[in-house]
Amino acid sequence: MKNLRDHIDLTAEKAQIDADMQYAVTLDFGPYLGYLAHYGAKIRRMASAYQQHEIAERILIAYADEALDRAKGD
């Protein structure tokens, strides 16, 4: 299990989120909503690799929100 202190920037996870949000904005409305509705489970899986998974999950959720805004051009 990874220690969050050693990976505080979560670079690999954030890169994956950026790619996923870029993909999400290409979807039609229905699939877009479904994709985002299930995305929390993916974030939980990413965060579960860390001993401090609750903290990692909060960081990744906030980042995903920001990444989606960027991908939409907001």
Side-chain angles (χ1 to χ4, degrees):
M1 187 161 279
K2 299 177 186 178
N3 189 320
L4 185 58
R5 199 175 26 216
D6 298 331
H7 301 273
I8 195 65
D9 60 355
L10 299 165
T11 303
E13 291 85 353
K14 287 179 177 179
Q16 182 62 55
I17 289 171
D18 284 331
D20 292 344
M21 294 304 113
Q22 286 294 326
Y23 169 73
V25 298
T26 68
L27 299 172
D28 290 331
F29 187 69
Y32 169 81
L33 290 179
Y35 187 81
L36 293 180
H38 293 96
Y39 202 75
K42 184 170 187 173
I43 288 175
R44 281 189 294 283
R45 281 192 305 275
M46 284 187 225
S48 71
Y50 293 91
Q51 291 174 353
Q52 304 90 346
H53 57 89
E54 299 95 352
I55 297 168
E57 184 175 342
R58 283 192 303 249
I59 293 168
L60 293 174
I61 288 170
Y63 187 82
D65 289 343
E66 294 167 7
L68 182 58
D69 287 345
R70 283 192 306 275
K72 292 187 309 185
D74 293 346

